[in-house]
Structure formats: structure tokens, C-alpha cells
Amino acid sequence: PDVESMEEAKERAKILAEAAALKQLASDYMHPEVGVKTTDPTLFGRNYFNRYSSPETEEDEFADERAEILAEAVALKKSSVAYMHPEVGVCSEDATLFGRNYFERASAPDVESMEEAEERAKILAEAATLKKLAVDYMHPEVGVRKVDGEMFGRNYFNRYSAPETEEDEFADERAEILAEAVALKKSSVAYMHPEVG
């Protein structure tokens, strides 16, 4: 039998030690929830950055920029809430908005003609319809409530006696796609967990 020389034995031991270290690093990378476990006394030193007597490290311009970013985030959140819930309406308590209305006061002259009134009524009706559509779009969980007799017809597509509509070539293609997805899942599991195999 071939006898391993001393240099080859040292080289093999070095390669095996590197492989074990790489496996440990891969395991630590893939499972950060485990945390770092060590008992080396040289690693327990004083933290000079988070101690109570450490000076404040954030500069004023960074603090101002952070405050501006947070204010913009609050404004964006308020805007997105107003967009997502149009049924809430506009609520404001700004003191500058509570002024005298010179257009609806009792002594204001009546300037609206009949045509303008009809146009305004038409616009308001369209706006109410658009608001209802927006609420229906943003809240599909409410459902549709109709009692029109013409709307209760038979559904010929979802009945029990409806024929199978999927063609054979589409079914075969779907089966091939599902098989490829299973193979990709197996490959990704093998990649994501090198310590298993």
C-alpha cells in the first residue's frame, strides 16, 4: 500500500481544517438566529463607543436631515391613508381655515344662473358616483348588493354540468412547469442549506 509522507499528511490535515472552517462559516451565514457563541477571554473587552461617558457622535446636520426625513415620512403616511380611505373625508383643525365665508353669507348676492345650477348638480352627481366607485374599488370585501331581478341569471361557466375547458396541451404544459418548479425548489433547498448534504 501507498504510505502517505509527512508533508502530504500535513497538507491533507490543513485542507480538512479549512473545509471544516468553511462549513462552519456557511452554517453561521445561513442561520444568523443562532448567534455567536464564544468563551475566549480576549473577546470580552470594554466598548468605548456605547459607554455612558462617550461623547455624542451624531452631527447636527445629520440630526436635522433625519428629522426632515421623518417629517416627510409622516406626511407621506398621512397622504397614503387619505388616498386609501376616501370615505373618511377631509378633517382639518388649522386655525387659518376658520375664517368668514363671504360667498355663503346672508347678504351675498345670488349670482348662480339656472344653467350653472343644473351643471353643478350634474357635476355633483358624477362626483358622488365616482366616490362610490372609488369606495367599491378600495374595499372589495364589502361585496355587491343588488336586488334587480334581471341580475339573478344562471351561470353557464361554473355549473356542475359544465364541460372541462382545459385542453390537453395546456394540461401537459402545466404539468411540465410544475415538475420544473419542484426541481428548482429542490435545487434551492440544497443551495440554501449546504450543511445538510
Side-chain angles (χ1 to χ4, degrees):
D2 291 335
V3 178
E4 194 175 38
S5 68
M6 187 62 84
E7 294 175 0
E8 291 174 342
K10 287 180 180 177
E11 184 69 23
R12 184 167 52 82
K14 184 178 177 184
I15 290 172
L16 288 175
E18 288 178 358
L22 284 173
K23 180 179 179 182
Q24 180 64 38
L25 281 174
S27 207
D28 291 343
Y29 179 77
M30 294 306 296
H31 299 286
E33 70 274 4
V34 174
V36 179
K37 297 174 185 169
T38 183
T39 56
D40 189 359
T42 60
L43 297 177
F44 295 102
R46 184 173 178 195
N47 188 348
Y48 289 95
F49 300 103
N50 292 335
R51 68 187 193 279
Y52 293 111
S53 61
S54 64
E56 184 67 33
T57 57
E58 188 177 37
E59 297 178 7
D60 288 340
E61 63 184 59
F62 293 134
D64 295 340
E65 186 175 353
R66 182 166 43 91
E68 289 176 8
I69 290 170
L70 289 174
E72 289 176 2
V74 168
L76 282 173
K77 179 181 178 185
K78 184 178 178 185
S79 176
S80 65
V81 167
Y83 177 78
M84 293 298 288
H85 298 285
E87 70 275 6
V88 173
V90 178
C91 301
S92 180
E93 296 180 4
D94 190 1
T96 59
L97 298 178
F98 294 104
R100 184 171 176 193
N101 189 347
Y102 289 97
F103 300 102
E104 294 181 0
R105 67 187 193 276
S107 60
D110 192 14
V111 293
E112 189 175 44
S113 67
M114 185 60 82
E115 296 162 354
E116 291 173 341
E118 290 173 357
E119 183 70 21
R120 183 170 52 85
K122 184 179 175 183
I123 291 171
L124 288 175
E126 289 177 359
T129 305
L130 285 174
K131 179 181 177 183
K132 184 179 182 307
L133 285 173
V135 169
D136 291 343
Y137 178 77
M138 295 307 295
H139 297 286
E141 69 274 5
V142 173
V144 179
R145 293 183 215 132
K146 292 285 182 184
V147 291
D148 190 359
E150 298 174 359
M151 303 190 84
F152 295 104
R154 184 172 177 193
N155 188 346
Y156 289 96
F157 300 103
N158 293 334
R159 68 188 194 280
Y160 292 111
S161 61
E164 184 67 33
T165 57
E166 188 176 36
E167 297 179 7
D168 289 338
E169 62 181 286
F170 293 134
D172 295 339
E173 185 176 355
R174 182 166 43 87
E176 288 176 6
I177 290 171
L178 290 174
E180 288 177 3
V182 169
L184 281 173
K185 181 181 178 183
K186 185 177 179 183
S187 174
S188 65
V189 166
Y191 177 77
M192 294 298 287
H193 298 286
E195 71 275 3
V196 173

